[in-house]
Amino acid sequence: MEATSGTENGVTMESGTPAIDVRDLSKHYGAVRAVDDISFSVGRGEIFGLLGHNGAGKTTTIRMMTGRTVPTSGAVRIGGFDAVSQLDEVKPLINLVFEDQNLYERMSGYDNLKFFAELYNAPSAKVDALLDRVALDDEARKRKVKTYSSGMKQRLLIARALINDPQILFLDEPTRGLDPASARELRQIVREMAEHGTTVVLCTHYMEEADELCDRVAFLASGKIVALDTPTELKLRYGTHSAQLLLADRSTMTVDLSSPEDAGKIEALMAAGQILTIHSQEGTLEDVFVNLAGRPLS
């Protein structure tokens, strides 16, 4: 998606630049290297995942990309603008949904969004359109936010983050604590935003969610990127490739498809007519992460 697009105050991304360009980025807190010399870029309209344990550097990276934290060294460019020295140009291009964000719980959902629309000089008609987009109906938008479920609050935060038509949206653990139906609805909203050209940076603990949504993912461990590619390529490169055989005597056998010895076993069993079914078992992103980072996320 190469063409620039407008925002509420007329700031646009520089033509020909990636949505996000991170170069040699570090953030140190004394002897602690929260982020340690990482580099990557994110294309326009891409859903890009940052995955890792607590303390791996995900949130610190997002804080630097959004101008909330100044890097110790390195640089971040957002739509061609420097995230430190040109933050005034960066702010209209972005918005974010963080875990620590609050809503005005004594106000209705509609009044919450209307208040933020006024702050961004957005037309009032946009409030209803965004509430429709995140599936908060007429009854829900009139209720006080303190009566909302976690899923409804999260959808309202998404609507609030879209009030300035951001070209880049940062989501930090957007489905944590949500029931499966609410999480599914939120993932659909993220897909639709990307389809309309919004770049999404997704920070999540949920590997299945990242596998389902992300065009590419970066695994962070101890402040460093240990792998970056599409979910499919990462699973092919680092995951296990096995198959489960159901044999004629109704017993099962798991074989390693990358092992010549196991391939010989399959050939011999097939020749003997002993295999009833074969089910391939692809490695998961969770498997990849354990192989790279040494322990599971949970």
Side-chain angles (χ1 to χ4, degrees), residues 37-90:
D37 194 29
I38 65 173
S39 298
F40 61 91
S41 63
V42 182
R44 303 185 186 197
E46 181 177 12
I47 302 177
F48 184 86
L50 284 173
L51 312 180
H53 298 109
N54 287 334
K58 307 183 304 295
T59 299
T60 301
T61 299
I62 288 183
R63 291 181 68 88
M64 288 188 285
M65 287 194 287
T66 56
R68 303 174 81 190
T69 296
V70 176
T72 302
S73 61
V76 177
R77 299 191 73 83
I78 302 293
F81 300 104
D82 186 272
V84 175
S85 64
Q86 295 176 294
L87 187 56
D88 287 343
E89 286 80 8
V90 167

Side-chain angles (χ1 to χ4, degrees), residues 247-267:
L247 303 180
D249 64 1
R250 303 309 190 263
S251 65
T252 60
M253 175 187 296
T254 299
V255 295
D256 182 353
L257 295 178
S258 61
S259 164
E261 181 180 347
D262 279 7
K265 290 179 182 178
I266 295 174
E267 185 177 0

Side-chain angles (χ1 to χ4, degrees), residues 97 103 105 107-110 112-113 130-131 133-160 174-179 181-183 185-186 189:
V97 177
L103 294 160
E105 299 221 337
M107 295 168 60
S108 69
Y110 179 89
N112 262 271
L113 201 55
L130 285 174
L131 290 169
R133 187 171 179 184
V134 298
L136 288 173
D137 61 24
D138 289 342
E139 184 275 331
R141 66 188 67 179
K142 293 174 184 176
R143 283 166 41 196
K144 291 184 178 180
V145 169
K146 67 180 180 181
T147 69
Y148 280 16
S149 67
S150 296
M152 292 170 70
K153 288 179 180 178
Q154 200 72 336
R155 293 203 298 273
L156 185 57
L157 284 171
I158 292 284
R160 192 175 80 179
T175 60
R176 175 177 284 180
L178 299 188
D179 62 83
S182 295
E185 290 173 0
L186 194 144
I189 291 169

Side-chain angles (χ1 to χ4, degrees), residues 106-267:
R106 294 181 180 274
M107 295 168 60
S108 69
Y110 179 89
D111 287 340
N112 262 271
L113 201 55
K114 183 180 178 183
F115 174 72
F116 281 92
E118 291 170 353
L119 289 180
Y120 280 99
N121 294 316
S124 58
K126 194 169 189 178
V127 174
D128 282 315
L130 285 174
L131 290 169
D132 288 340
R133 187 171 179 184
V134 298
L136 288 173
D137 61 24
D138 289 342
E139 184 275 331
R141 66 188 67 179
K142 293 174 184 176
R143 283 166 41 196
K144 291 184 178 180
V145 169
K146 67 180 180 181
T147 69
Y148 280 16
S149 67
S150 296
M152 292 170 70
K153 288 179 180 178
Q154 200 72 336
R155 293 203 298 273
L156 185 57
L157 284 171
I158 292 284
R160 192 175 80 179
L162 297 177
I163 200 72
N164 64 324
D165 290 331
Q167 296 176 48
I168 304 168
L169 184 64
F170 296 88
L171 302 175
D172 190 13
E173 303 291 351
T175 60
R176 175 177 284 180
L178 299 188
D179 62 83
S182 295
R184 188 186 314 118
E185 290 173 0
L186 194 144
R187 288 193 293 270
Q188 183 57 34
I189 291 169
V190 171
R191 288 191 200 93
E192 290 172 359
M193 288 188 294
E195 288 170 2
H196 285 88
T198 303
T199 300
V200 179
V201 177
L202 175 67
C203 188
T204 182
H205 275 76
Y206 301 128
M207 290 294 177
E208 290 183 359
E209 181 171 85
D211 198 352
E212 178 183 340
L213 287 176
C214 294
D215 299 300
R216 290 185 302 146
V217 297
F219 285 128
L220 282 168
S222 301
K224 290 183 174 293
I225 292 177
V226 295
L228 194 165
D229 213 323
T230 66
T232 297
E233 283 302 316
L234 288 171
K235 288 183 289 186
L236 288 172
R237 191 180 313 153
Y238 299 106
T240 57
H241 309 288
S242 61
Q244 187 173 72
L245 312 182
L246 176 63
L247 303 180
D249 64 1
R250 303 309 190 263
S251 65
T252 60
M253 175 187 296
T254 299
V255 295
D256 182 353
L257 295 178
S258 61
S259 164
E261 181 180 347
D262 279 7
K265 290 179 182 178
I266 295 174
E267 185 177 0

